[in-house]
Amino acid sequence: MTEPRRLFIKTYGCQMNVYDSERMADVLRPLGYVMADQPEGADLVVLNTCHIREKAAEKVYSELGRLKVLREEKAAAGGGRMTIAVAGCVAQAEGQEIMTRQPAVDLVVGPQAYHQLPELIARVSRKRGERLAADFAPEDKFDSLPNTRAANGPTAFLTVQEGCDKFCTFCVVPYTRGAEWSRPAESVLAEARRLAEQGVREVTLLGQNVNAYDGPGPDGTPWTLARLLRALAEIPGLDRLRYTTSHPRDFEGPGGDALIAAHAEVDAVMPYLHLPVQSGSDKILRAMNRKHTAESYLRLVERVRAARPDLALSGDFIVGFPGETEADFEATLQLVRESRYASCFSFKYSRRPGTPASAMPGQVPEEVIDERLQRLQALLVEQQVAFNAAQVGRTLPVLLVKKGRHPGQAIGRSPYLQSVHVNGAEQLLGSIVAVTIEGAAQNSLAGALLKAAA
Ligand code: 5AD
Ligand code: SF4
């Protein structure tokens, strides 16, 4: 038997990376790796990186600088060697260059190759040579991942789709995550059943374009996301289903209608939709290659709201895309006013080398971007506060996820993905309870237990 080795994984970026990090731990567990809370003294440190904006990528290099020092300290204290691995999208995008820029890195492993981590680590420990595994082929990865998946509380992420064929002109994802690919339905269902058996009550299906899901069903014909959700809803214990992120274009056609119908008809499908729009100006949307307009986006939101009037709508925005004028930005604010969001992510445009937008004329000065972002965020906060305040007085089913800061308190999730603080509910962690909402703040709700519901 090998003695336990300490593994520290630091995750950057999106929820797909959170899922990948959990699966990396699953891959490494049979080799005797146990999770550590800090990098100090760890035998293996994995940085699971994000390349989407420049800041995210740069953070990785400063973290690597710190790890290099920790590795030296560990060796000096007679603690043996610390292996440093860079995984995720920076690994995919920059490959070997990472090792040139920071020679302390032992291995680089892309998002489609982490099932090879055991072999790569073995190679590193034998000789320091070919260390790059960043070739695409999600099939290989999912086939090779262990069937054991350690659930971590009553909620879990589950990757069902990867990659992107949309080529928005600002975005690196089509280059780092490859072409759109959907996991076979049966493999998703099997993983979901195992999670449910471990007490998971809420699963969030992940994909860069999750509503483009078209994985083969048991007879080889493709399933839509709606069909997958309906099959998942049959699994005992799985009471709540979410999915993210959706692209407006993939709501066109029968698959989109079926998904909207699922929101109306399947109780387990939560009334929440993350539907990035990026801008409210048709001129900018064209330059972004989004292939939808502000109007078609608003009509789509109306269709989903007709199916689920209480829908919590979320989105992503980019401020300061090349060529964005004050009038274009005003159009974004107008779209926000009409959409009535529950919560949103908004980003300053980040110029990513190699993307078409990075070479476009009319790059917007930093001060202008800052000022616009502030105005957009002020409006989004106003909407978020209003959405939360509207829940006061309602009784909502809340999935209690973890302990709160105060004795006896539990923190749960509303159907709308709001955090809910509930006093005297700690003993009910893992169950869905009825909570009367008594207070609302910008980022959370507070309420009192009505009665145990499940
Ligand atoms: N600059 C700023 N934001 C970006 N996003 C993607 N690429 C960029 C970029 N180059 C944002 C988009 C996307 C989210 C995941 O990140 O809003 O929906
Ligand atoms: Fe990037 Fe656009 Fe694909 Fe989303 S849809 S991952 S923003 S290219």
Side-chain angles (χ1 to χ4, degrees), residues 278-313:
Q278 316 297 359
S279 168
S281 151
D282 288 342
K283 179 192 97 189
I284 296 297
L285 289 169
R286 248 191 325 276
M288 286 177 163
N289 192 32
R290 291 288 296 179
K291 300 209 168 81
H292 60 76
T293 61
E295 187 53 36
S296 69
Y297 178 87
L298 289 168
R299 274 203 313 272
L300 169 57
V301 168
E302 246 171 56
R303 271 166 65 213
V304 189
R305 284 210 166 110
R308 207 45 229 236
D310 62 338
L311 186 85
L313 181 68

PDB file of all heavy atoms in Angstrom, residues 278-313:
ATOM      1  N   GLN A 278     -24.446  39.408 -23.666  1.00  0.00           N
ATOM      2  CA  GLN A 278     -23.174  40.139 -23.899  1.00  0.00           C
ATOM      3  C   GLN A 278     -23.360  41.616 -24.206  1.00  0.00           C
ATOM      4  O   GLN A 278     -22.598  42.444 -23.735  1.00  0.00           O
ATOM      5  CB  GLN A 278     -22.306  39.497 -25.012  1.00  0.00           C
ATOM      6  CG  GLN A 278     -22.181  37.983 -24.972  1.00  0.00           C
ATOM      7  CD  GLN A 278     -21.493  37.433 -23.717  1.00  0.00           C
ATOM      8  OE1 GLN A 278     -21.070  38.193 -22.850  1.00  0.00           O
ATOM      9  NE2 GLN A 278     -21.409  36.118 -23.619  1.00  0.00           N
ATOM     10  N   SER A 279     -24.353  41.971 -25.045  1.00  0.00           N
ATOM     11  CA  SER A 279     -24.562  43.382 -25.380  1.00  0.00           C
ATOM     12  C   SER A 279     -26.006  43.571 -25.824  1.00  0.00           C
ATOM     13  O   SER A 279     -26.652  42.610 -26.253  1.00  0.00           O
ATOM     14  CB  SER A 279     -23.613  43.791 -26.518  1.00  0.00           C
ATOM     15  OG  SER A 279     -23.990  45.070 -27.028  1.00  0.00           O
ATOM     16  N   GLY A 280     -26.482  44.806 -25.740  1.00  0.00           N
ATOM     17  CA  GLY A 280     -27.835  45.097 -26.215  1.00  0.00           C
ATOM     18  C   GLY A 280     -27.833  45.828 -27.538  1.00  0.00           C
ATOM     19  O   GLY A 280     -28.882  46.247 -28.023  1.00  0.00           O
ATOM     20  N   SER A 281     -26.649  46.010 -28.137  1.00  0.00           N
ATOM     21  CA  SER A 281     -26.550  46.726 -29.413  1.00  0.00           C
ATOM     22  C   SER A 281     -26.398  45.726 -30.560  1.00  0.00           C
ATOM     23  O   SER A 281     -25.479  44.902 -30.549  1.00  0.00           O
ATOM     24  CB  SER A 281     -25.340  47.663 -29.379  1.00  0.00           C
ATOM     25  OG  SER A 281     -24.831  47.849 -30.693  1.00  0.00           O
ATOM     26  N   ASP A 282     -27.280  45.812 -31.523  1.00  0.00           N
ATOM     27  CA  ASP A 282     -27.197  44.872 -32.651  1.00  0.00           C
ATOM     28  C   ASP A 282     -25.892  45.009 -33.423  1.00  0.00           C
ATOM     29  O   ASP A 282     -25.355  44.030 -33.922  1.00  0.00           O
ATOM     30  CB  ASP A 282     -28.386  45.056 -33.594  1.00  0.00           C
ATOM     31  CG  ASP A 282     -29.677  44.529 -32.967  1.00  0.00           C
ATOM     32  OD1 ASP A 282     -29.583  43.743 -31.994  1.00  0.00           O
ATOM     33  OD2 ASP A 282     -30.765  44.906 -33.444  1.00  0.00           O
ATOM     34  N   LYS A 283     -25.390  46.236 -33.501  1.00  0.00           N
ATOM     35  CA  LYS A 283     -24.112  46.440 -34.203  1.00  0.00           C
ATOM     36  C   LYS A 283     -22.994  45.675 -33.486  1.00  0.00           C
ATOM     37  O   LYS A 283     -22.211  44.960 -34.111  1.00  0.00           O
ATOM     38  CB  LYS A 283     -23.781  47.943 -34.232  1.00  0.00           C
ATOM     39  CG  LYS A 283     -22.481  48.277 -34.917  1.00  0.00           C
ATOM     40  CD  LYS A 283     -22.069  49.721 -34.665  1.00  0.00           C
ATOM     41  CE  LYS A 283     -21.069  49.804 -33.515  1.00  0.00           C
ATOM     42  NZ  LYS A 283     -20.798  51.186 -33.090  1.00  0.00           N
ATOM     43  N   ILE A 284     -22.969  45.786 -32.166  1.00  0.00           N
ATOM     44  CA  ILE A 284     -21.934  45.093 -31.383  1.00  0.00           C
ATOM     45  C   ILE A 284     -22.167  43.583 -31.427  1.00  0.00           C
ATOM     46  O   ILE A 284     -21.226  42.795 -31.566  1.00  0.00           O
ATOM     47  CB  ILE A 284     -21.895  45.626 -29.935  1.00  0.00           C
ATOM     48  CG1 ILE A 284     -21.481  47.100 -29.920  1.00  0.00           C
ATOM     49  CG2 ILE A 284     -20.965  44.788 -29.049  1.00  0.00           C
ATOM     50  CD1 ILE A 284     -20.081  47.387 -30.447  1.00  0.00           C
ATOM     51  N   LEU A 285     -23.425  43.164 -31.336  1.00  0.00           N
ATOM     52  CA  LEU A 285     -23.717  41.723 -31.376  1.00  0.00           C
ATOM     53  C   LEU A 285     -23.237  41.125 -32.703  1.00  0.00           C
ATOM     54  O   LEU A 285     -22.722  40.003 -32.728  1.00  0.00           O
ATOM     55  CB  LEU A 285     -25.221  41.467 -31.189  1.00  0.00           C
ATOM     56  CG  LEU A 285     -25.741  41.725 -29.769  1.00  0.00           C
ATOM     57  CD1 LEU A 285     -27.273  41.706 -29.744  1.00  0.00           C
ATOM     58  CD2 LEU A 285     -25.179  40.692 -28.786  1.00  0.00           C
ATOM     59  N   ARG A 286     -23.389  41.900 -33.785  1.00  0.00           N
ATOM     60  CA  ARG A 286     -22.886  41.424 -35.090  1.00  0.00           C
ATOM     61  C   ARG A 286     -21.375  41.296 -35.051  1.00  0.00           C
ATOM     62  O   ARG A 286     -20.809  40.294 -35.460  1.00  0.00           O
ATOM     63  CB  ARG A 286     -23.304  42.386 -36.207  1.00  0.00           C
ATOM     64  CG  ARG A 286     -24.318  41.785 -37.163  1.00  0.00           C
ATOM     65  CD  ARG A 286     -24.543  42.614 -38.428  1.00  0.00           C
ATOM     66  NE  ARG A 286     -24.469  44.065 -38.262  1.00  0.00           N
ATOM     67  CZ  ARG A 286     -25.487  44.840 -37.853  1.00  0.00           C
ATOM     68  NH1 ARG A 286     -26.660  44.307 -37.545  1.00  0.00           N
ATOM     69  NH2 ARG A 286     -25.335  46.143 -37.739  1.00  0.00           N
ATOM     70  N   ALA A 287     -20.711  42.325 -34.539  1.00  0.00           N
ATOM     71  CA  ALA A 287     -19.239  42.293 -34.489  1.00  0.00           C
ATOM     72  C   ALA A 287     -18.747  41.177 -33.567  1.00  0.00           C
ATOM     73  O   ALA A 287     -17.658  40.637 -33.744  1.00  0.00           O
ATOM     74  CB  ALA A 287     -18.708  43.645 -34.010  1.00  0.00           C
ATOM     75  N   MET A 288     -19.568  40.828 -32.594  1.00  0.00           N
ATOM     76  CA  MET A 288     -19.207  39.731 -31.681  1.00  0.00           C
ATOM     77  C   MET A 288     -19.490  38.362 -32.302  1.00  0.00           C
ATOM     78  O   MET A 288     -19.156  37.334 -31.704  1.00  0.00           O
ATOM     79  CB  MET A 288     -20.026  39.832 -30.389  1.00  0.00           C
ATOM     80  CG  MET A 288     -19.617  40.938 -29.441  1.00  0.00           C
ATOM     81  SD  MET A 288     -20.783  40.935 -28.027  1.00  0.00           S
ATOM     82  CE  MET A 288     -19.856  41.907 -26.836  1.00  0.00           C
ATOM     83  N   ASN A 289     -20.169  38.362 -33.459  1.00  0.00           N
ATOM     84  CA  ASN A 289     -20.580  37.101 -34.105  1.00  0.00           C
ATOM     85  C   ASN A 289     -21.529  36.291 -33.212  1.00  0.00           C
ATOM     86  O   ASN A 289     -21.457  35.070 -33.154  1.00  0.00           O
ATOM     87  CB  ASN A 289     -19.357  36.250 -34.475  1.00  0.00           C
ATOM     88  CG  ASN A 289     -19.719  35.082 -35.394  1.00  0.00           C
ATOM     89  OD1 ASN A 289     -20.637  35.196 -36.211  1.00  0.00           O
ATOM     90  ND2 ASN A 289     -19.026  33.966 -35.245  1.00  0.00           N
ATOM     91  N   ARG A 290     -22.427  36.993 -32.530  1.00  0.00           N
ATOM     92  CA  ARG A 290     -23.344  36.284 -31.644  1.00  0.00           C
ATOM     93  C   ARG A 290     -24.490  35.618 -32.399  1.00  0.00           C
ATOM     94  O   ARG A 290     -25.157  34.729 -31.877  1.00  0.00           O
ATOM     95  CB  ARG A 290     -23.902  37.257 -30.597  1.00  0.00           C
ATOM     96  CG  ARG A 290     -22.869  37.730 -29.596  1.00  0.00           C
ATOM     97  CD  ARG A 290     -22.489  36.648 -28.645  1.00  0.00           C
ATOM     98  NE  ARG A 290     -23.626  36.245 -27.812  1.00  0.00           N
ATOM     99  CZ  ARG A 290     -23.557  35.280 -26.893  1.00  0.00           C
ATOM    100  NH1 ARG A 290     -22.436  34.614 -26.718  1.00  0.00           N
ATOM    101  NH2 ARG A 290     -24.615  34.966 -26.182  1.00  0.00           N
ATOM    102  N   LYS A 291     -24.800  36.134 -33.571  1.00  0.00           N
ATOM    103  CA  LYS A 291     -25.869  35.568 -34.412  1.00  0.00           C
ATOM    104  C   LYS A 291     -27.244  35.607 -33.749  1.00  0.00           C
ATOM    105  O   LYS A 291     -28.091  34.740 -33.976  1.00  0.00           O
ATOM    106  CB  LYS A 291     -25.521  34.146 -34.870  1.00  0.00           C
ATOM    107  CG  LYS A 291     -24.230  34.111 -35.697  1.00  0.00           C
ATOM    108  CD  LYS A 291     -24.244  32.960 -36.693  1.00  0.00           C
ATOM    109  CE  LYS A 291     -23.131  33.065 -37.705  1.00  0.00           C
ATOM    110  NZ  LYS A 291     -21.840  32.587 -37.239  1.00  0.00           N
ATOM    111  N   HIS A 292     -27.440  36.584 -32.850  1.00  0.00           N
ATOM    112  CA  HIS A 292     -28.795  36.901 -32.409  1.00  0.00           C
ATOM    113  C   HIS A 292     -28.851  38.410 -32.259  1.00  0.00           C
ATOM    114  O   HIS A 292     -27.804  39.078 -32.224  1.00  0.00           O
ATOM    115  CB  HIS A 292     -29.153  36.207 -31.094  1.00  0.00           C
ATOM    116  CG  HIS A 292     -28.258  36.563 -29.940  1.00  0.00           C
ATOM    117  ND1 HIS A 292     -28.346  37.761 -29.263  1.00  0.00           N
ATOM    118  CD2 HIS A 292     -27.220  35.906 -29.358  1.00  0.00           C
ATOM    119  CE1 HIS A 292     -27.424  37.809 -28.308  1.00  0.00           C
ATOM    120  NE2 HIS A 292     -26.719  36.701 -28.354  1.00  0.00           N
ATOM    121  N   THR A 293     -30.057  38.963 -32.183  1.00  0.00           N
ATOM    122  CA  THR A 293     -30.199  40.403 -31.991  1.00  0.00           C
ATOM    123  C   THR A 293     -30.739  40.658 -30.590  1.00  0.00           C
ATOM    124  O   THR A 293     -31.148  39.717 -29.904  1.00  0.00           O
ATOM    125  CB  THR A 293     -31.202  40.991 -33.017  1.00  0.00           C
ATOM    126  OG1 THR A 293     -32.468  40.362 -32.796  1.00  0.00           O
ATOM    127  CG2 THR A 293     -30.737  40.737 -34.450  1.00  0.00           C
ATOM    128  N   ALA A 294     -30.772  41.935 -30.229  1.00  0.00           N
ATOM    129  CA  ALA A 294     -31.355  42.291 -28.928  1.00  0.00           C
ATOM    130  C   ALA A 294     -32.826  41.878 -28.921  1.00  0.00           C
ATOM    131  O   ALA A 294     -33.326  41.315 -27.947  1.00  0.00           O
ATOM    132  CB  ALA A 294     -31.203  43.793 -28.686  1.00  0.00           C
ATOM    133  N   GLU A 295     -33.499  42.157 -30.027  1.00  0.00           N
ATOM    134  CA  GLU A 295     -34.926  41.846 -30.137  1.00  0.00           C
ATOM    135  C   GLU A 295     -35.176  40.329 -30.032  1.00  0.00           C
ATOM    136  O   GLU A 295     -36.064  39.882 -29.313  1.00  0.00           O
ATOM    137  CB  GLU A 295     -35.418  42.393 -31.497  1.00  0.00           C
ATOM    138  CG  GLU A 295     -36.902  42.316 -31.733  1.00  0.00           C
ATOM    139  CD  GLU A 295     -37.739  42.946 -30.619  1.00  0.00           C
ATOM    140  OE1 GLU A 295     -37.304  43.974 -30.058  1.00  0.00           O
ATOM    141  OE2 GLU A 295     -38.811  42.385 -30.305  1.00  0.00           O
ATOM    142  N   SER A 296     -34.369  39.528 -30.753  1.00  0.00           N
ATOM    143  CA  SER A 296     -34.620  38.074 -30.708  1.00  0.00           C
ATOM    144  C   SER A 296     -34.334  37.536 -29.305  1.00  0.00           C
ATOM    145  O   SER A 296     -35.001  36.616 -28.836  1.00  0.00           O
ATOM    146  CB  SER A 296     -33.796  37.330 -31.780  1.00  0.00           C
ATOM    147  OG  SER A 296     -32.415  37.368 -31.479  1.00  0.00           O
ATOM    148  N   TYR A 297     -33.373  38.137 -28.619  1.00  0.00           N
ATOM    149  CA  TYR A 297     -33.091  37.729 -27.234  1.00  0.00           C
ATOM    150  C   TYR A 297     -34.294  38.047 -26.341  1.00  0.00           C
ATOM    151  O   TYR A 297     -34.755  37.198 -25.575  1.00  0.00           O
ATOM    152  CB  TYR A 297     -31.840  38.453 -26.732  1.00  0.00           C
ATOM    153  CG  TYR A 297     -31.472  38.136 -25.291  1.00  0.00           C
ATOM    154  CD1 TYR A 297     -30.682  37.046 -24.980  1.00  0.00           C
ATOM    155  CD2 TYR A 297     -31.916  38.947 -24.244  1.00  0.00           C
ATOM    156  CE1 TYR A 297     -30.347  36.746 -23.654  1.00  0.00           C
ATOM    157  CE2 TYR A 297     -31.592  38.663 -22.923  1.00  0.00           C
ATOM    158  CZ  TYR A 297     -30.801  37.562 -22.634  1.00  0.00           C
ATOM    159  OH  TYR A 297     -30.479  37.283 -21.332  1.00  0.00           O
ATOM    160  N   LEU A 298     -34.814  39.260 -26.468  1.00  0.00           N
ATOM    161  CA  LEU A 298     -35.949  39.653 -25.616  1.00  0.00           C
ATOM    162  C   LEU A 298     -37.177  38.791 -25.895  1.00  0.00           C
ATOM    163  O   LEU A 298     -37.907  38.421 -24.981  1.00  0.00           O
ATOM    164  CB  LEU A 298     -36.277  41.141 -25.828  1.00  0.00           C
ATOM    165  CG  LEU A 298     -35.231  42.109 -25.256  1.00  0.00           C
ATOM    166  CD1 LEU A 298     -35.469  43.538 -25.752  1.00  0.00           C
ATOM    167  CD2 LEU A 298     -35.251  42.078 -23.721  1.00  0.00           C
ATOM    168  N   ARG A 299     -37.362  38.446 -27.176  1.00  0.00           N
ATOM    169  CA  ARG A 299     -38.517  37.575 -27.508  1.00  0.00           C
ATOM    170  C   ARG A 299     -38.348  36.196 -26.884  1.00  0.00           C
ATOM    171  O   ARG A 299     -39.301  35.597 -26.397  1.00  0.00           O
ATOM    172  CB  ARG A 299     -38.673  37.443 -29.024  1.00  0.00           C
ATOM    173  CG  ARG A 299     -39.513  38.571 -29.643  1.00  0.00           C
ATOM    174  CD  ARG A 299     -40.105  38.142 -30.982  1.00  0.00           C
ATOM    175  NE  ARG A 299     -39.108  37.495 -31.836  1.00  0.00           N
ATOM    176  CZ  ARG A 299     -38.315  38.147 -32.681  1.00  0.00           C
ATOM    177  NH1 ARG A 299     -38.413  39.454 -32.809  1.00  0.00           N
ATOM    178  NH2 ARG A 299     -37.442  37.495 -33.410  1.00  0.00           N
ATOM    179  N   LEU A 300     -37.117  35.704 -26.914  1.00  0.00           N
ATOM    180  CA  LEU A 300     -36.838  34.399 -26.309  1.00  0.00           C
ATOM    181  C   LEU A 300     -37.124  34.420 -24.799  1.00  0.00           C
ATOM    182  O   LEU A 300     -37.759  33.518 -24.253  1.00  0.00           O
ATOM    183  CB  LEU A 300     -35.381  34.012 -26.604  1.00  0.00           C
ATOM    184  CG  LEU A 300     -34.812  32.813 -25.853  1.00  0.00           C
ATOM    185  CD1 LEU A 300     -35.650  31.567 -26.103  1.00  0.00           C
ATOM    186  CD2 LEU A 300     -33.359  32.565 -26.282  1.00  0.00           C
ATOM    187  N   VAL A 301     -36.659  35.489 -24.148  1.00  0.00           N
ATOM    188  CA  VAL A 301     -36.910  35.614 -22.708  1.00  0.00           C
ATOM    189  C   VAL A 301     -38.416  35.611 -22.444  1.00  0.00           C
ATOM    190  O   VAL A 301     -38.898  34.955 -21.518  1.00  0.00           O
ATOM    191  CB  VAL A 301     -36.251  36.904 -22.158  1.00  0.00           C
ATOM    192  CG1 VAL A 301     -36.732  37.213 -20.741  1.00  0.00           C
ATOM    193  CG2 VAL A 301     -34.730  36.765 -22.193  1.00  0.00           C
ATOM    194  N   GLU A 302     -39.151  36.303 -23.297  1.00  0.00           N
ATOM    195  CA  GLU A 302     -40.616  36.317 -23.154  1.00  0.00           C
ATOM    196  C   GLU A 302     -41.199  34.912 -23.276  1.00  0.00           C
ATOM    197  O   GLU A 302     -42.101  34.542 -22.523  1.00  0.00           O
ATOM    198  CB  GLU A 302     -41.221  37.158 -24.288  1.00  0.00           C
ATOM    199  CG  GLU A 302     -41.892  38.425 -23.866  1.00  0.00           C
ATOM    200  CD  GLU A 302     -42.228  39.253 -25.104  1.00  0.00           C
ATOM    201  OE1 GLU A 302     -42.919  38.756 -26.011  1.00  0.00           O
ATOM    202  OE2 GLU A 302     -41.743  40.408 -25.161  1.00  0.00           O
ATOM    203  N   ARG A 303     -40.688  34.134 -24.235  1.00  0.00           N
ATOM    204  CA  ARG A 303     -41.202  32.764 -24.430  1.00  0.00           C
ATOM    205  C   ARG A 303     -40.942  31.915 -23.179  1.00  0.00           C
ATOM    206  O   ARG A 303     -41.794  31.156 -22.754  1.00  0.00           O
ATOM    207  CB  ARG A 303     -40.503  32.099 -25.622  1.00  0.00           C
ATOM    208  CG  ARG A 303     -41.199  32.335 -26.949  1.00  0.00           C
ATOM    209  CD  ARG A 303     -40.291  31.946 -28.113  1.00  0.00           C
ATOM    210  NE  ARG A 303     -39.971  30.523 -28.160  1.00  0.00           N
ATOM    211  CZ  ARG A 303     -38.818  30.014 -28.595  1.00  0.00           C
ATOM    212  NH1 ARG A 303     -37.857  30.812 -29.025  1.00  0.00           N
ATOM    213  NH2 ARG A 303     -38.623  28.723 -28.611  1.00  0.00           N
ATOM    214  N   VAL A 304     -39.738  32.025 -22.611  1.00  0.00           N
ATOM    215  CA  VAL A 304     -39.440  31.216 -21.425  1.00  0.00           C
ATOM    216  C   VAL A 304     -40.309  31.691 -20.257  1.00  0.00           C
ATOM    217  O   VAL A 304     -40.820  30.889 -19.487  1.00  0.00           O
ATOM    218  CB  VAL A 304     -37.942  31.262 -21.067  1.00  0.00           C
ATOM    219  CG1 VAL A 304     -37.628  30.238 -19.978  1.00  0.00           C
ATOM    220  CG2 VAL A 304     -37.068  31.000 -22.283  1.00  0.00           C
ATOM    221  N   ARG A 305     -40.500  33.003 -20.161  1.00  0.00           N
ATOM    222  CA  ARG A 305     -41.330  33.522 -19.055  1.00  0.00           C
ATOM    223  C   ARG A 305     -42.792  33.130 -19.216  1.00  0.00           C
ATOM    224  O   ARG A 305     -43.505  32.984 -18.215  1.00  0.00           O
ATOM    225  CB  ARG A 305     -41.194  35.042 -18.952  1.00  0.00           C
ATOM    226  CG  ARG A 305     -39.887  35.459 -18.322  1.00  0.00           C
ATOM    227  CD  ARG A 305     -40.021  36.781 -17.562  1.00  0.00           C
ATOM    228  NE  ARG A 305     -38.882  36.997 -16.698  1.00  0.00           N
ATOM    229  CZ  ARG A 305     -37.946  37.929 -16.892  1.00  0.00           C
ATOM    230  NH1 ARG A 305     -38.039  38.758 -17.915  1.00  0.00           N
ATOM    231  NH2 ARG A 305     -36.941  38.046 -16.050  1.00  0.00           N
ATOM    232  N   ALA A 306     -43.230  32.943 -20.460  1.00  0.00           N
ATOM    233  CA  ALA A 306     -44.617  32.504 -20.660  1.00  0.00           C
ATOM    234  C   ALA A 306     -44.775  31.096 -20.081  1.00  0.00           C
ATOM    235  O   ALA A 306     -45.818  30.746 -19.533  1.00  0.00           O
ATOM    236  CB  ALA A 306     -44.970  32.527 -22.143  1.00  0.00           C
ATOM    237  N   ALA A 307     -43.699  30.273 -20.182  1.00  0.00           N
ATOM    238  CA  ALA A 307     -43.747  28.910 -19.646  1.00  0.00           C
ATOM    239  C   ALA A 307     -43.559  28.912 -18.137  1.00  0.00           C
ATOM    240  O   ALA A 307     -44.101  28.070 -17.431  1.00  0.00           O
ATOM    241  CB  ALA A 307     -42.670  28.046 -20.302  1.00  0.00           C
ATOM    242  N   ARG A 308     -42.758  29.833 -17.638  1.00  0.00           N
ATOM    243  CA  ARG A 308     -42.390  29.840 -16.228  1.00  0.00           C
ATOM    244  C   ARG A 308     -42.372  31.296 -15.760  1.00  0.00           C
ATOM    245  O   ARG A 308     -41.305  31.934 -15.707  1.00  0.00           O
ATOM    246  CB  ARG A 308     -41.002  29.205 -16.144  1.00  0.00           C
ATOM    247  CG  ARG A 308     -40.544  28.482 -14.868  1.00  0.00           C
ATOM    248  CD  ARG A 308     -41.515  27.572 -14.259  1.00  0.00           C
ATOM    249  NE  ARG A 308     -41.574  27.912 -12.837  1.00  0.00           N
ATOM    250  CZ  ARG A 308     -41.362  27.066 -11.833  1.00  0.00           C
ATOM    251  NH1 ARG A 308     -41.087  25.802 -12.064  1.00  0.00           N
ATOM    252  NH2 ARG A 308     -41.438  27.475 -10.584  1.00  0.00           N
ATOM    253  N   PRO A 309     -43.520  31.849 -15.410  1.00  0.00           N
ATOM    254  CA  PRO A 309     -43.600  33.296 -15.132  1.00  0.00           C
ATOM    255  C   PRO A 309     -42.674  33.770 -14.022  1.00  0.00           C
ATOM    256  O   PRO A 309     -42.278  34.928 -14.004  1.00  0.00           O
ATOM    257  CB  PRO A 309     -45.067  33.497 -14.729  1.00  0.00           C
ATOM    258  CG  PRO A 309     -45.795  32.338 -15.333  1.00  0.00           C
ATOM    259  CD  PRO A 309     -44.833  31.195 -15.342  1.00  0.00           C
ATOM    260  N   ASP A 310     -42.334  32.859 -13.088  1.00  0.00           N
ATOM    261  CA  ASP A 310     -41.482  33.299 -11.975  1.00  0.00           C
ATOM    262  C   ASP A 310     -39.993  33.112 -12.272  1.00  0.00           C
ATOM    263  O   ASP A 310     -39.167  33.194 -11.361  1.00  0.00           O
ATOM    264  CB  ASP A 310     -41.849  32.522 -10.703  1.00  0.00           C
ATOM    265  CG  ASP A 310     -41.611  31.025 -10.857  1.00  0.00           C
ATOM    266  OD1 ASP A 310     -41.568  30.551 -12.017  1.00  0.00           O
ATOM    267  OD2 ASP A 310     -41.452  30.329  -9.840  1.00  0.00           O
ATOM    268  N   LEU A 311     -39.637  32.862 -13.524  1.00  0.00           N
ATOM    269  CA  LEU A 311     -38.249  32.579 -13.891  1.00  0.00           C
ATOM    270  C   LEU A 311     -37.258  33.607 -13.331  1.00  0.00           C
ATOM    271  O   LEU A 311     -37.486  34.815 -13.422  1.00  0.00           O
ATOM    272  CB  LEU A 311     -38.124  32.578 -15.415  1.00  0.00           C
ATOM    273  CG  LEU A 311     -36.762  32.166 -15.966  1.00  0.00           C
ATOM    274  CD1 LEU A 311     -36.708  30.647 -16.073  1.00  0.00           C
ATOM    275  CD2 LEU A 311     -36.514  32.798 -17.333  1.00  0.00           C
ATOM    276  N   ALA A 312     -36.157  33.117 -12.754  1.00  0.00           N
ATOM    277  CA  ALA A 312     -35.041  33.989 -12.392  1.00  0.00           C
ATOM    278  C   ALA A 312     -34.090  34.001 -13.589  1.00  0.00           C
ATOM    279  O   ALA A 312     -33.528  32.972 -13.953  1.00  0.00           O
ATOM    280  CB  ALA A 312     -34.330  33.452 -11.158  1.00  0.00           C
ATOM    281  N   LEU A 313     -33.940  35.168 -14.186  1.00  0.00           N
ATOM    282  CA  LEU A 313     -33.103  35.273 -15.380  1.00  0.00           C
ATOM    283  C   LEU A 313     -31.729  35.804 -14.996  1.00  0.00           C
ATOM    284  O   LEU A 313     -31.607  36.737 -14.204  1.00  0.00           O
ATOM    285  CB  LEU A 313     -33.760  36.210 -16.397  1.00  0.00           C
ATOM    286  CG  LEU A 313     -33.018  36.413 -17.710  1.00  0.00           C
ATOM    287  CD1 LEU A 313     -33.018  35.128 -18.537  1.00  0.00           C
ATOM    288  CD2 LEU A 313     -33.647  37.556 -18.517  1.00  0.00           C
TER     289      LEU A 313
END
